[in-house]
Amino acid sequence: MKQAVEYLIAIEPIFKNIIEKYGLPTIPRRPQGFETLVLLILEQQVSIDSAKATFLKLKAKEKDFEPESLLLLTDEEYRSFGVSRQKTSYIKALSHSIITNSIDLESLSAKTSQQVRDELIKIKGIGNWTIDVYLMFSLQSPDIIPLGDIAVVNTIKELLAIHDKQEMESYVSKWSPHRSLATFLLWHYYLNKRNRKVVY
């Protein structure tokens, strides 16, 4: 991590400022596999705390938390846990993909980031943001920046005054091969500035 930090602060002054003001971020880690992907589906477009509360209700109901059992839950049961109809369909699509061997989650750790993206994107409800976060948190991919994440985009707009998406993509390419750490620093700034604490 030290080498990556030195690389980033050498090419981008904002990272030096973030570290001087708020220190280094905690690097999030989540286990690989089905549970994490379900949690990421629940986190889409809502707060992490809200998603976690829903996830824990679901887990209390289905302690083994296997694709087979989640596929058997009714839409009404999902709704009682606070899962929207849309996200229910996404969780069931993921469960079905695993049961039918359309995807092997255990094999993803041996694949490139692009191969992982190509496989997961086929599953209904799993888009680039979900894949980016899974790559970063579970597969520890070092060079991911989720430009579909509102906190990342807003922080880049604020600190670098870049508002055009294509210009943003071009600019952050210079942070490679450590764009994941760059993302963690941007999140770190975003949360600390708002006095928010998040447990990933």
Side-chain angles (χ1 to χ4, degrees):
M1 183 177 174
K2 184 169 181 278
Q3 185 182 359
V5 168
E6 288 172 353
Y7 176 87
L8 288 173
I9 63 176
I11 61 168
E12 185 56 74
I14 66 165
F15 294 126
K16 187 171 186 289
N17 296 340
I18 290 169
I19 292 166
E20 285 176 351
K21 190 164 188 179
Y22 298 119
L24 289 169
T26 300
I27 305 302
R29 293 281 185 267
R30 285 185 181 171
Q32 297 174 32
F34 178 65
E35 279 197 28
T36 292
L37 281 168
V38 170
L39 178 55
L40 287 173
I41 287 170
L42 294 173
E43 284 178 358
Q44 292 170 4
Q45 299 179 317
V46 300
S47 73
I48 286 175
D49 291 339
S50 168
K52 188 176 285 184
T54 302
F55 177 77
L56 290 174
K57 287 178 195 170
L58 198 52
K59 200 143 194 282
K61 166 71 175 171
E62 295 297 335
K63 291 185 171 55
D64 61 347
F65 216 83
E66 295 295 332
E68 291 82 1
S69 57
L70 292 198
L71 196 57
L72 289 172
L73 288 175
T74 65
D75 289 4
E76 289 70 28
E77 286 175 299
Y78 274 106
R79 191 157 48 250
S80 73
F81 304 133
V83 184
S84 69
R85 185 181 297 275
Q86 191 174 45
K87 288 184 181 179
T88 295
S89 72
Y90 296 168
I91 293 169
K92 289 189 173 185
L94 172 62
S95 301
H96 185 263
S97 294
I98 294 168
I99 292 166
T100 58
N101 296 314
S102 299
I103 192 163
D104 176 11
L105 297 182
E106 289 183 12
S107 72
L108 297 182
S109 60
K111 296 180 177 177
T112 67
S113 295
Q114 190 57 52
Q115 287 171 327
V116 172
R117 191 177 304 280
D118 291 344
E119 289 203 32
L120 287 175
I121 203 77
K122 295 174 188 172
I123 301 169
K124 178 186 176 185
I126 296 188
N128 283 312
W129 178 86
T130 304
I131 297 166
D132 285 342
V133 178
Y134 188 75
L135 283 165
M136 293 167 66
F137 286 25
S138 299
L139 299 178
Q140 280 81 60
S141 299
D143 198 29
I144 304 292
I145 185 158
L147 290 179
D149 185 275
I150 193 164
V152 170
V153 169
N154 285 346
T155 303
I156 290 172
K157 286 177 180 177
E158 178 185 342
L159 297 181
L160 294 166
I162 300 171
H163 297 269
D164 178 76
K165 187 74 178 287
Q166 281 188 314
E167 188 183 343
M168 209 175 274
E169 285 176 5
S170 175
Y171 187 90
V172 302
S173 64
K174 72 176 184 175
W175 299 344
S176 183
H178 301 295
R179 284 178 290 186
S180 295
L181 178 58
T183 300
F184 295 137
L185 284 162
L186 295 174
W187 277 332
H188 190 51
Y189 171 88
Y190 182 89
L191 292 167
N192 275 282
K193 191 177 180 194
R194 290 157 180 78
N195 291 315
R196 283 177 54 195
K197 296 290 179 196
V198 167
V199 179
Y200 294 106

